[in-house]
Amino acid sequence: MNCEVCQLKELEVEHFEIREVLRCILHTIVFHRALGLVRPKDVDLELFEITYVQCGDVELEKKIDEKIDQFISWVEKHPNKKSQICLSFYEVKSKQPSWFTNKTERLYWEQWYVNLNVTQQPKQHSSKSHHTKVVVDPGESANEERSSRRAMVEASLREVLFQIIKFVNEKKDHVPPISEGVIYFPYEITMPRKFQ
Amino acid sequence: MEMDRESGKLEQIVSQFRSKILHVVLDSRVPSLHRHQQQDSLSLSRVRKTDKWFNLVLGDRPPALENLNFSLRNLLDPMVIDIILVRHASYSSSVDNLYAPSAAAAGPSTETVIERWVVQYDCPRVFATPSGAEAAVSYKKIYKKCIVLLRSLYTQMRLLPAYRIFRQLSSLNQTYNFDIVYKVSSFSHPFSREEEDGMKEYNFAPVEALPGCLCVSVIYHATLSDFNLEPLVSLPPKIITDYVGSPTTDPMRSFPSSERGAHATSFPFRGLRPPSSAPFQRPHSWSSGFHRGIPPTKTQSLAGSPPVYRTSPKPYDITPPPTDLYGNRIQNHRVSTLQQATAYDEYKLSPPFSPSASPSTPTYLSGANPLLTRHCSETAPVTIPLPPTGRSNRYLSPNSSDPSRHSLPPLSPRSSKHDTSSQESPSGIRSYRKIEALRAGESPSGLSNLYSAPKVVRDSKDDSGRFSGLLSSSGSPRIGFSRSSSRLSFQDDMDDCEFSCPFDVDDVDVSDSSSQNTENKRASEFTAQSNLIGKKSQDAAVGILVHMLRTAPPLRQDSSCYSTRSLRTEYEGGVGIASGFFMPRKTADALEELNSYREMKDLLLSKSGTQVVRKEGMK
């Protein structure tokens, strides 16, 4: 079986945006791969005017949050670096049992790479002069810059979500059959490569 | 036989697929249908047969959907779902327009198709149906692919621009100058070139469903910012300088409402004879303000208040009560609103609008007033001009402009709501003070924001959208939540306000200096609540009655109670009795009081119009 790979568009985010962005992307992907009976749960982002959908599984939500925490810890130790988080779906196949091994094998049939470039917001310098002239208010320009930056991130995030929708629509043949009683396919979240 | 069964399966998949898409689209675009779903909390927990289709639990299908499904039985015809934005012209600020049954003041509405979803099963005329095991595998694949497509459609519904305005409309604490309606048909009028400008198209990858394929596409406006969609602005609060109660106004001014036959109803106050046996025509603010034809005052003028559409010919007459259906619904809703404030916060965030991990409201729904500000009736902040000058004149007449009243807590909603010349004393009923506090910033007339009351009540009844062809759904072609529910909420607000409990003043500061004020307020409340009894919600009425009974003074003769009771009887008599400050209580008085309670209870529970209750003579 083919393993379909989707490299999502890189997002430039700040540290405090990581959690929301990753939650949005990872849950959106999983929602499209949770083909069992789900009661969709709409979640509004706080930082952006985007609503994404979760499949409503508490366990899944917890696991995703744990992985995001790990990712954030790594990012804190390696600031200003590009990083990836990989969401993979697999099937469990049991190997030929032998005297020595009785392992099961994971056959990955789909992998999603979420590419993030975590930046630090540069500090604003006061533009006061020594002669106490009219001070250009740094706060206002910083706010404008912040809001335009926020809008850009929101637009990029929206693009990523559309990218996910496009991918899941175009490639359906590789998706395994749905098992009875299973809500979502087995998955794993890894941080495969950390590169500058 | 086998071929029939197999083709039946395919037909079933296609049919259910279309129904599911319709459900998803309408649930994410039409506020009334969505609220219909939200209301039934039980429905959210259980899984229906329809939910199991494509493993997507959406809850009950609105009845309109069932009709639509029935009408679009030919699966080979496309299903075209138009999401239509209805923009209302700006309204006149005259209060007259609110009462006018015609929609003349509303102005023309503009309708624009902002989204068009097309679902079609493309099938060649001649085809070979797969059979046997091949067919079974085929149907499973088809089904799986349909599930994936529905997932992505569900996600995409939330990313398109129309979702935002849907959320705005769905919010309970704001009204807007637009509506969203829908039209489902099996054909579509092509867009003009103008309409096509600014529209984008997205085609979902077709699902092979041999012998044909299922195709879903959407054409949508890429941006809705050109449509000038905005919330309706309420008037800022205004101080009513000539408010009744001020020494400068004429307390006995008559109002047109009295000419229309509405009479105040007063309750017998412990057997004391009222000052006059004539129908009590004290011009209360609540009696006048709810009639049609009241000349709009400055303070009552409204800018941009919505509803000139009304489904009932007499929305605001006191005499005819609302229909039982609406009345009951509103009553129940109002009670639940007032009593379960936090429940509405939860409602707003309940699935499918679950909060994110940190429990804050969605950013683009924020900025509105707290939910309760829209659920309760209106009052204006009024100045309380003068400190009390003395107590002896306090109970001379309920109509007296007693300066001492001005030291009381803020006015009850009814007293300030509709008529600035109302005689209502600023009895500051505590139970409504909370309402007033929550409604900071509302218009003085109290009308404009009444239409922003919860829309849930009426919508499911009023909704239908528009249908072409053979569709048999009834109802107006508009989903007029703002019109219908606003009217009902307005009435319900009236109900709640009008029936202020005279004993609510127990909540007022119980210090000695204010206890007499309390009693005065009680008596005035007694009188004040007379006019709109008929409209009182049943539950609230019972609640008020219970409260009254709880806070009523004991029947037994107790010297500690003399002072308060005697003051009340003094007021009820309407005679300035300076002496007799302490009056022994008799059994007859108690019996009288009991009878009065009974009468009040009957009056509350009845839903008829205004009743004139003669004050019984003091025995």
Side-chain angles (χ1 to χ4, degrees):
Chain A
M1 192 191 303
N2 286 345
C3 177
E4 297 287 348
V5 177
C6 181
Q7 289 277 355
L8 294 174
K9 183 188 163 195
E10 186 179 274
L11 288 171
E12 199 168 293
V13 298
E14 289 186 53
H15 191 273
F16 67 94
E17 292 169 336
I18 294 174
R19 188 177 297 278
E20 281 227 315
V21 165
L22 279 181
R23 269 207 195 120
C24 176
I25 293 173
L26 294 175
H27 276 288
T28 300
I29 295 170
V30 172
F31 178 65
H32 285 89
R33 293 293 178 246
L35 303 186
L37 186 66
V38 299
R39 187 187 297 276
K41 179 178 154 188
D42 289 3
V43 179
D44 300 318
L45 292 180
E46 291 180 23
L47 300 174
F48 310 104
E49 286 187 1
I50 290 175
T51 300
Y52 70 94
V53 188
Q54 293 183 7
C55 66
D57 187 81
V58 174
E59 211 40 57
L60 176 74
E61 199 177 337
K62 202 170 142 191
K63 276 196 179 166
I64 288 179
D65 281 345
E66 277 171 14
K67 288 295 178 183
I68 292 174
D69 288 337
Q70 288 176 20
F71 181 83
I72 290 175
S73 308
W74 182 88
V75 165
E76 279 169 357
K77 291 173 192 163
H78 305 87
N80 286 330
K81 282 190 178 174
K82 293 186 183 184
S83 52
Q84 267 186 341
I85 194 164
C86 178
L87 171 57
S88 310
F89 294 98
Y90 59 87
E91 277 187 294
V92 178
K93 296 279 186 194
S94 53
K95 273 185 174 177
Q96 280 282 356
S98 68
W99 287 105
F100 304 102
T101 59
N102 195 18
K103 286 184 181 175
T104 55
E105 189 185 6
R106 287 182 176 184
L107 286 179
Y108 294 91
W109 52 271
E110 194 172 83
Q111 287 181 322
W112 298 81
Y113 288 92
V114 185
N115 297 297
L116 295 182
N117 184 10
V118 184
T119 58
Q120 298 280 355
Q121 184 74 357
K123 288 183 181 174
Q124 297 294 326
H125 298 290
S126 169
S127 58
K128 279 184 185 174
S129 70
H130 292 294
H131 302 289
T132 60
K133 285 184 183 174
V134 174
V135 174
V136 174
D137 182 12
E140 200 176 313
S141 60
N143 281 340
E144 280 174 11
E145 196 184 317
R146 207 172 7 248
S147 59
S148 73
R149 201 206 129 268
R150 183 74 56 86
M152 272 175 49
V153 175
E154 183 179 313
S156 298
L157 181 56
R158 223 177 262 275
E159 274 183 46
V160 166
L161 297 177
F162 275 115
Q163 193 182 354
I164 295 170
I165 290 171
K166 188 166 180 278
F167 185 89
V168 299
N169 263 277
E170 286 174 356
K171 299 183 191 293
K172 295 191 191 95
D173 292 325
H174 65 292
V175 179
I178 306 167
S179 306
E180 193 70 33
V182 175
I183 295 177
Y184 47 85
F185 294 108
Y187 71 96
E188 69 177 9
I189 300 175
T190 54
M191 284 174 281
R193 283 184 296 166
K194 295 106 184 172
F195 54 92
Q196 296 198 11
Chain B
M1 184 80 164
E2 197 176 324
M3 276 178 64
D4 289 340
R5 208 181 314 132
E6 283 158 9
S7 67
K9 274 188 192 170
L10 180 62
E11 194 178 310
Q12 206 178 11
I13 291 175
V14 172
S15 170
Q16 290 295 334
F17 181 72
R18 282 154 59 108
S19 301
K20 204 77 173 184
I21 288 188
L22 186 58
H23 194 172
V24 168
V25 170
L26 296 186
D27 201 46
S28 312
R29 289 292 182 269
V30 182
S32 59
L33 291 180
H34 176 72
R35 256 178 256 117
H36 165 85
Q37 160 65 25
Q38 289 291 312
Q39 274 178 18
D40 186 1
S41 59
L42 281 178
S43 77
L44 292 174
S45 54
R46 60 188 179 93
V47 177
R48 299 155 198 78
K49 273 188 187 174
T50 52
D51 285 331
K52 290 180 182 174
W53 276 99
F54 309 103
N55 290 339
L56 195 63
V57 179
L58 297 176
D60 270 332
R61 285 184 187 172
L65 278 186
E66 303 298 339
N67 296 335
L68 289 170
N69 286 337
F70 182 76
S71 303
L72 295 172
R73 275 175 294 179
N74 188 350
L75 299 179
L76 295 180
D77 288 338
M79 180 174 73
V80 180
I81 310 168
D82 280 344
I83 303 298
I84 302 167
L85 177 69
V86 180
R87 284 170 289 158
H88 308 306
S90 57
Y91 299 97
S92 162
S93 63
S94 167
V95 169
D96 279 339
N97 293 327
L98 295 174
Y99 293 97
S102 68
S109 296
T110 319
E111 295 183 356
T112 312
V113 176
I114 54 173
E115 275 183 10
R116 173 170 287 166
W117 296 84
V118 179
V119 183
Q120 183 155 21
Y121 179 55
D122 274 336
C123 182
R125 291 199 178 272
V126 179
F127 55 84
T129 313
S131 60
E134 191 186 306
V137 171
S138 169
Y139 294 136
K140 281 186 180 174
K141 279 188 178 172
I142 293 169
Y143 191 68
K144 180 186 75 182
K145 291 178 182 179
C146 288
I147 293 175
V148 174
L149 194 155
L150 272 163
R151 295 280 196 273
S152 55
L153 185 140
Y154 191 95
T155 303
Q156 182 146 14
M157 294 295 305
R158 278 130 189 85
L159 297 176
L160 296 180
Y163 183 69
R164 187 174 172 180
I165 62 170
F166 158 75
R167 289 294 295 269
Q168 287 174 341
L169 282 177
S170 299
S171 86
L172 295 177
N173 48 12
Q174 188 61 278
T175 49
Y176 292 88
N177 63 345
F178 61 92
D179 277 337
I180 294 179
V181 299
Y182 64 96
K183 181 177 101 170
V184 183
S185 62
S186 56
F187 61 90
S188 60
H189 297 289
F191 290 116
S192 65
R193 193 161 286 182
E194 274 176 358
E195 286 170 326
E196 271 181 356
D197 285 342
M199 294 192 94
K200 285 186 181 176
E201 187 172 356
Y202 182 82
N203 297 303
F204 291 84
V207 172
E208 269 186 16
L210 294 174
C213 65
L214 283 164
C215 304
V216 180
S217 63
V218 59
I219 303 171
Y220 62 98
H221 267 276
T223 173
L224 299 178
S225 54
D226 298 336
F227 288 102
N228 199 26
L229 307 174
E230 56 194 22
L232 293 170
V233 180
S234 60
L235 286 179
K238 184 170 179 176
I239 303 296
I240 304 171
T241 54
D242 60 348
Y243 186 78
V244 170
S246 162
T248 60
T249 58
D250 176 11
M252 293 311 296
R253 189 174 4 166
S254 65
F255 290 88
S257 59
S258 57
E259 297 167 1
R260 294 170 73 92
H263 301 288
T265 302
S266 53
F267 295 96
F269 297 134
R270 296 162 187 82
L272 290 179
R273 194 179 297 279
S276 156
S277 60
F280 190 46
Q281 301 225 353
R282 180 157 84 84
H284 302 283
S285 61
W286 59 93
S287 61
S288 59
F290 293 100
H291 287 276
R292 260 188 271 173
I294 300 298
T297 63
K298 211 175 179 181
T299 55
Q300 288 181 351
S301 65
L302 299 168
S305 42
V308 269
Y309 324 94
R310 238 177 301 282
T311 55
S312 163
K314 291 183 192 175
Y316 302 115
D317 284 345
I318 295 176
T319 314
T323 60
D324 283 348
L325 177 66
Y326 296 155
N328 284 331
R329 289 167 82 179
I330 292 295
Q331 287 158 15
N332 293 336
H333 186 69
R334 291 296 299 163
V335 167
S336 64
T337 301
L338 292 173
Q339 293 175 354
Q340 300 170 23
T342 56
Y344 279 94
D345 286 324
E346 290 163 10
Y347 168 82
K348 193 170 94 170
L349 298 177
S350 66
F353 303 119
S354 304
S356 56
S358 32
S360 59
T361 53
T363 51
Y364 54 84
L365 291 183
S366 61
N369 291 326
L371 284 174
L372 281 180
T373 64
R374 294 290 172 173
H375 293 175
C376 306
S377 53
E378 302 287 335
T379 194
V382 288
T383 53
I384 301 174
L386 299 172
T389 55
R391 292 179 186 174
S392 59
N393 294 327
R394 191 174 308 131
Y395 307 110
L396 283 176
S397 149
N399 300 331
S400 65
S401 54
D402 183 4
S404 67
R405 291 181 191 163
H406 304 312
S407 65
L408 294 173
L411 293 162
S412 67
R414 65 174 188 280
S415 58
S416 60
K417 189 158 49 165
H418 299 285
D419 198 312
T420 58
S421 54
S422 166
Q423 290 291 323
E424 171 59 7
S425 67
S427 45
I429 300 158
R430 283 283 180 158
S431 64
Y432 290 99
R433 187 188 286 186
K434 181 178 171 189
I435 297 169
E436 293 168 19
L438 289 168
R439 289 190 296 99
E442 301 297 353
S443 77
S445 64
L447 288 172
S448 63
N449 291 319
L450 291 175
Y451 301 101
S452 60
K455 305 160 193 168
V456 295
V457 178
R458 183 69 193 280
D459 290 332
S460 58
K461 187 175 167 60
D462 195 26
D463 159 69
S464 62
R466 232 180 306 158
F467 309 106
S468 60
L470 302 171
L471 299 176
S472 59
S473 295
S474 61
S476 70
R478 304 276 191 278
I479 296 173
F481 69 88
S482 57
R483 309 166 225 156
S484 53
S485 61
S486 61
R487 171 181 79 83
L488 297 170
S489 64
F490 175 81
Q491 287 173 333
D492 202 27
D493 290 339
M494 283 163 49
D495 296 342
D496 283 339
C497 287
E498 293 318 307
F499 211 85
S500 59
C501 174
F503 299 101
D504 286 348
V505 294
D506 283 342
D507 290 330
V508 178
D509 181 31
V510 294
S511 63
D512 289 341
S513 61
S514 61
S515 64
Q516 294 171 354
N517 291 339
T518 302
E519 293 310 318
N520 182 31
K521 272 186 279 177
R522 284 190 179 205
S524 65
E525 290 313 313
F526 243 8
T527 314
Q529 57 188 298
S530 58
N531 282 330
L532 294 173
I533 303 301
K535 292 194 173 176
K536 187 59 193 160
S537 67
Q538 201 165 7
D539 292 348
V542 171
I544 288 168
L545 185 65
V546 167
H547 183 70
M548 279 165 52
L549 291 171
R550 276 188 192 155
T551 55
L555 295 176
R556 62 178 174 180
Q557 293 187 0
D558 184 354
S559 58
S560 65
C561 299
Y562 281 170
S563 59
T564 57
R565 245 180 276 123
S566 62
L567 289 172
R568 197 182 310 126
T569 55
E570 210 178 302
Y571 170 73
E572 291 156 4
V575 186
I577 301 171
S579 62
F581 198 78
F582 297 94
M583 288 173 63
R585 195 158 169 82
K586 299 178 185 171
T587 309
D589 293 340
L591 199 59
E592 201 71 42
E593 191 171 342
L594 179 64
N595 286 336
S596 74
Y597 285 140
R598 280 206 188 119
E599 282 182 35
M600 268 169 45
K601 176 190 162 191
D602 292 338
L603 205 55
L604 286 173
L605 293 176
S606 73
K607 291 199 174 177
S608 58
T610 346
Q611 297 173 18
V612 177
V613 177
R614 310 266 179 219
K615 282 190 182 176
E616 295 181 16
M618 188 169 75
K619 293 181 184 173

